């Protein structure tokens, strides 16, 4: 619903509720018509009510036992709204049985203001007048996470990194050999080609019989 004018329909004994509702709607930025605030002495009551109903985008009706008293003007107000198929916002200000609500109004979705603290009642009022609206945040995805294609693992297994010479995995777990597995490279057996050749000649020389 657009942020247009709102007419507050109520029974005289419920004036305290009507002024509370009208004040919070105006405080929220709504244009509100309330008879005790906007109509002056000498005004034609019927003409002003007809003008207010014709110009309102919504009519807030404060449901109570007084509101449905057949002797009150409230009957003409809500009947006019129903006949014109305009938007009626029913707010219940005291506990009511379904039998206490007229049959023409019984199908309407009602919001309770009674039994709430002031902050809760204000939130219920503004929400009811604002009308239906979608969520302000993205809803959570209700399905299961997508499964990987057949034959494809959902994650790659870790590959061990062998330590030098021993083939042992790193003890640090970071892909590098840890201090307990790393060993310095061994020095070469021969320091030069000449030393290697002399060792070969010694190995080939004939041995004494007494040397095994």
């Amino acid at each position: 619903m657009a942020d247009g004018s709102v007419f507050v329909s109520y029974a005289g004994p419920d004036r305290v509720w009507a002024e509370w509702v009208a004040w919070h709607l105006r405080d929220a930025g709504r244009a509100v018509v309330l008879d005790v605030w906007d109509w002056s002495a000498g005004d034609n009551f019927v003409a002003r009510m007809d003008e207010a109903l014709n110009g309102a985008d919504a009519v807030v009706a404060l449901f109570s036992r007084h509101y449905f008293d057949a002797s009150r003007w409230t009957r003409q107000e809500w009947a006019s709204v129903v006949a014109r198929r305009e938007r009626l916002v029913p707010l219940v200000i005291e506990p009511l049985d379904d039998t206490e609500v007229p049959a023409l109004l019984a199908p309407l979705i009602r919001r309770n203001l009674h039994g709430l603290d002031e902050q809760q009642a204000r939130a219920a009022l503004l929400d009811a007048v604002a009308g239906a609206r979608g969520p302000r945040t993205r809803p959570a995805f209700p399905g299961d996470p997508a499964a990987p294609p057949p034959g494809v693992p959902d994650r790659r297994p870790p590959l061990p990194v062998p330590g030098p010479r021993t083939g042992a995995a790193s003890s640090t777990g970071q892909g590098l050999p840890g201090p307990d597995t790393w060993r310095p490279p061994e020095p070469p057996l021969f320091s030069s080609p000449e030393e290697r050749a002399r060792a070969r000649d010694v190995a080939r020389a004939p041995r004494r019989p007494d040397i095994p």
Side-chain angles (χ1 to χ4, degrees):
M1 186 190 84
D3 292 349
S5 62
V6 178
F7 175 71
V8 181
S9 175
Y10 70 100
D14 301 324
R15 174 176 172 175
V16 174
W17 268 109
E19 293 194 78
W20 182 88
V21 165
W23 192 93
H24 281 287
L25 288 175
R26 284 189 177 178
D27 186 59
R30 297 281 186 172
V32 180
V33 177
L34 182 66
D35 57 357
V36 294
W37 289 358
D38 301 304
W39 301 348
S40 303
D43 284 349
N44 185 308
F45 172 80
V46 176
R48 293 302 303 266
M49 182 176 67
D50 186 64
E51 178 186 346
L53 290 173
N54 284 330
D57 292 325
V59 175
V60 170
L62 302 185
F63 282 14
S64 68
R65 292 181 180 84
H66 296 297
Y67 190 80
F68 297 123
D69 185 339
S71 64
R72 296 186 180 277
W73 275 94
T74 50
R75 184 179 182 87
Q76 282 72 23
E77 292 176 4
W78 67 257
S80 174
V81 176
V82 172
R84 300 178 190 185
R85 297 187 178 182
E86 296 173 348
R87 184 163 184 254
L88 186 70
V89 182
L91 301 176
V92 185
I93 59 175
E94 68 177 357
L96 293 174
D97 296 331
D98 290 339
T99 58
E100 297 176 290
V101 179
L104 283 175
L105 302 179
L108 299 181
I109 298 174
R110 306 186 288 269
R111 294 295 297 269
N112 291 331
L113 298 187
H114 67 86
L116 306 177
D117 62 32
E118 185 170 10
Q119 292 302 318
Q120 293 172 331
R122 182 180 186 276
L125 164 67
L126 298 182
D127 185 67
V129 174
R133 56 176 179 260
R136 297 181 180 179
T137 59
R138 183 176 63 184
F141 177 60
D144 296 328
V152 178
D154 57 352
R155 64 177 183 175
R156 184 181 301 171
L159 299 177
V161 178
R165 301 181 68 84
T166 63
S170 167
S171 64
T172 63
Q174 303 298 323
L176 296 174
D180 55 341
T181 60
W182 185 84
R183 298 290 185 274
E186 298 179 359
L189 186 62
F190 303 104
S191 59
S192 66
E194 292 78 7
E195 186 176 351
R196 183 188 299 273
R198 285 196 299 272
R200 186 174 58 250
D201 293 340
V202 171
R204 292 178 179 176
R207 299 181 182 179
R208 291 171 50 185
D210 58 339
I211 298 178

